[in-house]
Amino acid sequence: MKKIGVWFILITMIMTMFAPVSYAKEESGPELVESAKSAILLERDTGEILYEKNSGESLPPASMTKIMTMILIMEALDEGKLKLNEKVRASEYAASMGGSQIFLEPGEEMTVEELLKGVAVASGNDASVALAERIAGSEAAFVKQMNQKVEELGLTNTKFQNTTGLPANDHYSTAHDMAVMAKELLKHEQITKYTSIYEDYLRKGTDNEFWLVNTNKLVKFYTGVDGLKTGFTREAMYCLTATAKKDDMRVIAVVMGAESPKDRNADISAMLDYAFNHYETESLYERHQPVDILKNIRAAKTKVDVVTSESVSVLKKKGQTIENVDEKLVYKKDLTLPIQKGETVGTLTITSNGKPLSKTNVVVNETVEEAGVWTLFKRSMSEMVKQR
């Protein structure tokens, strides 16, 4: 029996010596988030994920829902369907919203800019609904637009039932999807003018003056943070989609289901520290910077600038050098006239030694109409004269 015991110990020692060593921490990356149920960290330009924890888990997003609300507001502003100085009248329904609010009275009028501040800074549910009704006619119609945008962005784990994030059945998202929505919102660079405000006033100088204080305290206490949106309900717990910029690099960090505001901010800060301590970017193109000229003999204007749909950068670890960087522009094969301003016409891919580093849609910076019959006839005659 003693001999069997000795042989067992020897065999066990040999197996241990030659067994593969597992370094779980190195394989899974740093443990940055402790409190939150799910989280993600990504670099804005490339969309590269630097850290994630259960990022695909469906959870209630609470007021982070307003990121999508603000996307549609900013699109309406860009398209001229809405103007910042335009006054919007609050309906009884908008004024009845509970939760976070700027205490709109039924029939009260505020400018779009004031209401946007109410959404971005104070997370005003009443302000969100008032703007939704102005853009789409009703909150229900606006929610349809929100879910259409979800599909357009290719998000498969998000569904909205309202513009506010107030508790509702079948209203959910994920940390990953919230980060993609934040990336989309940040294409509208003007939004950080509002989400970075720490305190301001509405109805200033009146009897019902309202003090706006940003629900995202990191705007004041973490250098570089200039947005985007907090969230809290008893079901969702403490959530935050934050963005920060240092030098040329902008990152997005999301946490969902943290136990307290302190835990939420600690988790976000840990991710931001990790990103800025270990990574950097090299900027290649600004948003809407020309990269090529689209030529079409059948267009009313035969040459139109092709521009980047968003800023283009290369992400690298600090101290790393990237060699043999190459750019490849590929146009869509099914392009037909007319082409609307901002419509995607191709993709710009950046590679290093054949490895893709980033892929960005390119768009036209103006609408390309089809040339009329008379214009085409004159061009044909001109070409015939040149050939003589």
Side-chain angles (χ1 to χ4, degrees):
M1 291 295 291
K2 287 183 179 179
K3 287 184 178 180
I4 293 173
V6 171
W7 277 108
F8 179 77
I9 293 169
L10 286 171
I11 291 169
T12 303
M13 289 175 65
I14 291 168
M15 290 177 66
T16 303
M17 288 171 63
F18 290 98
V21 180
S22 175
Y23 297 102
K25 196 148 189 174
E26 288 186 10
E27 291 176 359
S28 62
E31 294 298 326
L32 301 177
V33 170
E34 296 182 2
S35 170
K37 290 180 181 178
S38 71
I40 195 168
L41 171 69
L42 61 82
E43 192 275 323
R44 193 276 305 270
D45 286 359
T46 62
E48 186 165 339
I49 297 171
L50 307 180
Y51 172 84
E52 57 185 335
K53 173 186 175 181
N54 304 326
S55 64
E57 182 179 352
S58 294
L59 294 166
S63 279
M64 293 196 304
T65 296
K66 296 184 181 79
I67 290 177
M68 179 57 82
T69 302
M70 288 190 286
I71 289 174
L72 297 186
I73 293 169
M74 296 308 292
E75 286 183 350
L77 286 167
D78 284 353
E79 293 165 7
K81 297 176 181 177
L82 203 61
K83 296 188 182 301
L84 286 172
N85 61 358
E86 173 189 344
K87 288 203 169 184
V88 175
R89 185 179 182 276
S91 68
E92 286 195 21
Y93 175 68
S96 73
M97 290 296 110
S100 301
Q101 54 186 302
I102 58 172
F103 299 98
L104 288 171
E105 293 289 340
E108 181 179 2
E109 291 188 344
M110 276 193 181
T111 66
V112 168
E113 185 166 43
E114 289 170 329
L115 291 171
L116 182 53
K117 283 182 184 179
V119 176
V121 180
S123 194
N125 295 326
D126 46 2
S128 298
V129 173
L131 285 170
E133 290 177 334
R134 165 59 186 85
I135 293 169
S138 69
E139 184 186 26
F142 189 86
V143 170
K144 285 184 180 179
Q145 293 183 15
M146 292 170 72
N147 287 317
Q148 286 170 1
K149 190 68 178 181
V150 165
E151 291 184 16
E152 186 183 314
L153 293 174
L155 306 179
T156 57
N157 292 307
T158 295
K159 188 176 182 181
F160 296 122
Q161 301 295 340
N162 56 51
T163 68
T164 61
L166 287 168
N169 292 329
D170 210 26
H171 185 106
Y172 58 87
S173 189
T174 66
H176 170 271
D177 287 6
M178 292 308 312
V180 174
M181 284 182 259
K183 189 176 188 296
E184 182 71 14
L185 178 58
L186 287 166
K187 288 181 181 179
H188 307 276
E189 295 176 359
Q190 193 181 13
I191 192 63
T192 56
K193 172 184 174 183
Y194 303 102
T195 58
S196 63
I197 295 170
Y198 184 70
E199 58 181 340
D200 202 348
Y201 289 89
L202 294 176
R203 311 182 191 92
K204 193 170 179 67
T206 66
D207 291 338
N208 56 344
E209 184 175 89
F210 185 75
W211 183 34
L212 293 173
V213 181
N214 204 318
T215 53
N216 179 8
K217 304 307 177 189
L218 293 179
V219 166
K220 184 174 183 179
F221 297 109
Y222 193 107
T223 303
V225 171
D226 52 6
L228 279 168
K229 193 71 203 68
T230 58
F232 171 77
T233 63
R234 288 184 179 179
E235 181 188 17
M237 295 303 291
Y238 294 90
C239 308
L240 174 57
T241 297
T243 183
K245 184 177 182 181
K246 288 188 179 180
D247 299 323
D248 287 330
M249 185 168 77
R250 179 178 285 282
V251 296
I252 297 165
V254 183
V255 296
M256 300 181 74
E259 293 295 321
S260 70
K262 184 178 179 181
D263 290 332
R264 173 178 69 187
N265 292 346
D267 285 343
I268 289 287
S269 297
M271 287 193 284
L272 296 180
D273 288 344
Y274 175 74
F276 293 125
N277 287 337
H278 293 86
Y279 293 90
E280 60 188 355
T281 58
E282 288 185 15
S283 179
L284 301 179
Y285 292 98
E286 298 294 327
R287 187 186 183 211
H288 292 164
Q289 184 173 339
V291 294
D292 197 20
I293 295 175
L294 184 65
K295 300 174 183 177
N296 191 318
I297 193 67
R298 300 191 64 81
K301 187 175 180 180
T302 57
K303 295 180 181 180
V304 177
D305 281 340
V306 175
V307 302
T308 55
S309 60
E310 54 189 311
S311 51
V312 181
S313 299
V314 173
L315 177 70
K316 62 181 184 178
K317 287 194 172 182
K318 286 196 171 180
Q320 178 187 7
T321 57
I322 298 177
E323 300 176 340
N324 302 321
V325 175
D326 191 27
E327 301 178 8
K328 186 177 182 180
L329 180 60
V330 178
Y331 285 103
K332 293 169 69 173
K333 293 180 180 179
D334 57 347
L335 285 176
T336 56
L337 297 174
I339 304 172
Q340 300 301 317
K341 179 181 178 180
E343 184 177 334
T344 297
V345 294
T347 55
L348 175 67
T349 303
I350 310 297
T351 62
S352 172
N353 292 319
K355 179 185 176 183
L357 298 179
S358 74
K359 192 173 184 179
T360 308
N361 288 338
V362 292
V363 300
V364 288
N365 67 345
E366 58 183 296
T367 296
V368 185
E369 302 283 1
E370 188 171 6
V373 175
W374 179 242
T375 300
L376 291 173
F377 174 74
K378 288 194 293 182
R379 284 180 188 165
S380 297
M381 294 300 295
S382 178
E383 287 297 317
M384 290 175 61
V385 171
K386 287 179 183 178
Q387 291 174 10
R388 289 181 178 180

PDB file of all heavy atoms in Angstrom, residues 11 61-62 80 84 86 95 145 170-172 319 339 345 385:
ATOM      1  N   ILE A  11       3.466  10.177  -9.844  1.00  0.00           N
ATOM      2  CA  ILE A  11       2.719  10.396 -11.095  1.00  0.00           C
ATOM      3  C   ILE A  11       2.021  11.753 -11.076  1.00  0.00           C
ATOM      4  O   ILE A  11       2.024  12.502 -12.047  1.00  0.00           O
ATOM      5  CB  ILE A  11       1.701   9.259 -11.305  1.00  0.00           C
ATOM      6  CG1 ILE A  11       2.441   7.954 -11.615  1.00  0.00           C
ATOM      7  CG2 ILE A  11       0.735   9.599 -12.446  1.00  0.00           C
ATOM      8  CD1 ILE A  11       1.548   6.731 -11.566  1.00  0.00           C
ATOM      9  N   PRO A  61     -32.123  50.035 -19.741  1.00  0.00           N
ATOM     10  CA  PRO A  61     -31.139  51.113 -19.846  1.00  0.00           C
ATOM     11  C   PRO A  61     -31.481  52.372 -19.067  1.00  0.00           C
ATOM     12  O   PRO A  61     -30.672  53.307 -19.011  1.00  0.00           O
ATOM     13  CB  PRO A  61     -31.111  51.405 -21.349  1.00  0.00           C
ATOM     14  CG  PRO A  61     -32.514  51.110 -21.782  1.00  0.00           C
ATOM     15  CD  PRO A  61     -32.988  49.961 -20.935  1.00  0.00           C
ATOM     16  N   ALA A  62     -32.690  52.422 -18.506  1.00  0.00           N
ATOM     17  CA  ALA A  62     -33.144  53.627 -17.791  1.00  0.00           C
ATOM     18  C   ALA A  62     -32.958  54.855 -18.692  1.00  0.00           C
ATOM     19  O   ALA A  62     -33.188  54.771 -19.893  1.00  0.00           O
ATOM     20  CB  ALA A  62     -32.409  53.771 -16.461  1.00  0.00           C
ATOM     21  N   GLY A  80     -32.279  70.451 -40.767  1.00  0.00           N
ATOM     22  CA  GLY A  80     -33.047  71.682 -40.855  1.00  0.00           C
ATOM     23  C   GLY A  80     -34.519  71.523 -40.513  1.00  0.00           C
ATOM     24  O   GLY A  80     -35.314  72.461 -40.701  1.00  0.00           O
ATOM     25  N   LEU A  84     -32.597  75.546 -33.300  1.00  0.00           N
ATOM     26  CA  LEU A  84     -32.312  75.723 -31.879  1.00  0.00           C
ATOM     27  C   LEU A  84     -33.130  76.852 -31.248  1.00  0.00           C
ATOM     28  O   LEU A  84     -33.506  76.776 -30.084  1.00  0.00           O
ATOM     29  CB  LEU A  84     -30.812  75.994 -31.672  1.00  0.00           C
ATOM     30  CG  LEU A  84     -29.880  74.798 -31.845  1.00  0.00           C
ATOM     31  CD1 LEU A  84     -28.428  75.245 -31.796  1.00  0.00           C
ATOM     32  CD2 LEU A  84     -30.141  73.738 -30.767  1.00  0.00           C
ATOM     33  N   GLU A  86     -36.102  77.837 -32.187  1.00  0.00           N
ATOM     34  CA  GLU A  86     -37.540  77.623 -32.362  1.00  0.00           C
ATOM     35  C   GLU A  86     -38.194  77.321 -31.021  1.00  0.00           C
ATOM     36  O   GLU A  86     -37.645  76.572 -30.201  1.00  0.00           O
ATOM     37  CB  GLU A  86     -37.759  76.452 -33.323  1.00  0.00           C
ATOM     38  CG  GLU A  86     -39.201  76.027 -33.465  1.00  0.00           C
ATOM     39  CD  GLU A  86     -39.333  74.738 -34.257  1.00  0.00           C
ATOM     40  OE1 GLU A  86     -38.371  74.338 -34.940  1.00  0.00           O
ATOM     41  OE2 GLU A  86     -40.410  74.120 -34.169  1.00  0.00           O
ATOM     42  N   ALA A  95     -45.958  67.409 -20.095  1.00  0.00           N
ATOM     43  CA  ALA A  95     -45.817  67.998 -18.760  1.00  0.00           C
ATOM     44  C   ALA A  95     -46.144  67.007 -17.647  1.00  0.00           C
ATOM     45  O   ALA A  95     -45.751  67.215 -16.496  1.00  0.00           O
ATOM     46  CB  ALA A  95     -46.719  69.226 -18.647  1.00  0.00           C
ATOM     47  N   GLN A 145     -39.486  55.744 -34.795  1.00  0.00           N
ATOM     48  CA  GLN A 145     -38.245  56.237 -35.416  1.00  0.00           C
ATOM     49  C   GLN A 145     -37.025  55.769 -34.643  1.00  0.00           C
ATOM     50  O   GLN A 145     -35.996  55.437 -35.238  1.00  0.00           O
ATOM     51  CB  GLN A 145     -38.280  57.768 -35.488  1.00  0.00           C
ATOM     52  CG  GLN A 145     -39.319  58.332 -36.433  1.00  0.00           C
ATOM     53  CD  GLN A 145     -39.265  59.853 -36.523  1.00  0.00           C
ATOM     54  OE1 GLN A 145     -38.293  60.491 -36.103  1.00  0.00           O
ATOM     55  NE2 GLN A 145     -40.317  60.446 -37.061  1.00  0.00           N
ATOM     56  N   ASP A 170     -40.636  45.104 -22.086  1.00  0.00           N
ATOM     57  CA  ASP A 170     -39.991  44.923 -23.395  1.00  0.00           C
ATOM     58  C   ASP A 170     -39.204  46.157 -23.822  1.00  0.00           C
ATOM     59  O   ASP A 170     -39.137  46.494 -25.007  1.00  0.00           O
ATOM     60  CB  ASP A 170     -41.054  44.581 -24.448  1.00  0.00           C
ATOM     61  CG  ASP A 170     -40.487  43.702 -25.565  1.00  0.00           C
ATOM     62  OD1 ASP A 170     -39.519  42.977 -25.317  1.00  0.00           O
ATOM     63  OD2 ASP A 170     -41.033  43.755 -26.691  1.00  0.00           O
ATOM     64  N   HIS A 171     -38.607  46.823 -22.859  1.00  0.00           N
ATOM     65  CA  HIS A 171     -37.755  47.997 -23.111  1.00  0.00           C
ATOM     66  C   HIS A 171     -36.369  47.627 -22.598  1.00  0.00           C
ATOM     67  O   HIS A 171     -36.163  47.510 -21.385  1.00  0.00           O
ATOM     68  CB  HIS A 171     -38.321  49.208 -22.370  1.00  0.00           C
ATOM     69  CG  HIS A 171     -37.594  50.499 -22.655  1.00  0.00           C
ATOM     70  ND1 HIS A 171     -38.119  51.487 -23.445  1.00  0.00           N
ATOM     71  CD2 HIS A 171     -36.381  50.948 -22.256  1.00  0.00           C
ATOM     72  CE1 HIS A 171     -37.275  52.506 -23.500  1.00  0.00           C
ATOM     73  NE2 HIS A 171     -36.211  52.188 -22.784  1.00  0.00           N
ATOM     74  N   TYR A 172     -35.423  47.412 -23.490  1.00  0.00           N
ATOM     75  CA  TYR A 172     -34.129  46.879 -23.069  1.00  0.00           C
ATOM     76  C   TYR A 172     -33.014  47.266 -24.039  1.00  0.00           C
ATOM     77  O   TYR A 172     -33.264  47.673 -25.185  1.00  0.00           O
ATOM     78  CB  TYR A 172     -34.197  45.346 -22.963  1.00  0.00           C
ATOM     79  CG  TYR A 172     -34.602  44.673 -24.263  1.00  0.00           C
ATOM     80  CD1 TYR A 172     -33.653  44.325 -25.228  1.00  0.00           C
ATOM     81  CD2 TYR A 172     -35.945  44.375 -24.522  1.00  0.00           C
ATOM     82  CE1 TYR A 172     -34.030  43.726 -26.415  1.00  0.00           C
ATOM     83  CE2 TYR A 172     -36.329  43.772 -25.705  1.00  0.00           C
ATOM     84  CZ  TYR A 172     -35.363  43.445 -26.658  1.00  0.00           C
ATOM     85  OH  TYR A 172     -35.743  42.860 -27.839  1.00  0.00           O
ATOM     86  N   GLY A 319       3.706  53.597 -27.285  1.00  0.00           N
ATOM     87  CA  GLY A 319       5.053  53.171 -27.608  1.00  0.00           C
ATOM     88  C   GLY A 319       5.139  52.279 -28.832  1.00  0.00           C
ATOM     89  O   GLY A 319       6.223  52.039 -29.359  1.00  0.00           O
ATOM     90  N   ILE A 339     -28.204  60.532 -55.819  1.00  0.00           N
ATOM     91  CA  ILE A 339     -27.562  60.140 -54.570  1.00  0.00           C
ATOM     92  C   ILE A 339     -27.759  61.297 -53.595  1.00  0.00           C
ATOM     93  O   ILE A 339     -27.398  62.435 -53.894  1.00  0.00           O
ATOM     94  CB  ILE A 339     -26.054  59.867 -54.769  1.00  0.00           C
ATOM     95  CG1 ILE A 339     -25.841  58.805 -55.851  1.00  0.00           C
ATOM     96  CG2 ILE A 339     -25.410  59.423 -53.452  1.00  0.00           C
ATOM     97  CD1 ILE A 339     -24.383  58.627 -56.247  1.00  0.00           C
ATOM     98  N   VAL A 345     -21.473  55.880 -50.109  1.00  0.00           N
ATOM     99  CA  VAL A 345     -21.140  55.469 -51.474  1.00  0.00           C
ATOM    100  C   VAL A 345     -20.005  54.445 -51.502  1.00  0.00           C
ATOM    101  O   VAL A 345     -19.685  53.882 -52.549  1.00  0.00           O
ATOM    102  CB  VAL A 345     -20.757  56.686 -52.353  1.00  0.00           C
ATOM    103  CG1 VAL A 345     -21.963  57.604 -52.539  1.00  0.00           C
ATOM    104  CG2 VAL A 345     -19.576  57.467 -51.767  1.00  0.00           C
ATOM    105  N   VAL A 385     -17.346  67.217 -80.795  1.00  0.00           N
ATOM    106  CA  VAL A 385     -16.511  68.303 -81.329  1.00  0.00           C
ATOM    107  C   VAL A 385     -15.056  68.095 -80.947  1.00  0.00           C
ATOM    108  O   VAL A 385     -14.148  68.295 -81.769  1.00  0.00           O
ATOM    109  CB  VAL A 385     -17.022  69.666 -80.793  1.00  0.00           C
ATOM    110  CG1 VAL A 385     -16.034  70.778 -81.150  1.00  0.00           C
ATOM    111  CG2 VAL A 385     -18.396  69.967 -81.364  1.00  0.00           C
TER     112      VAL A 385
END
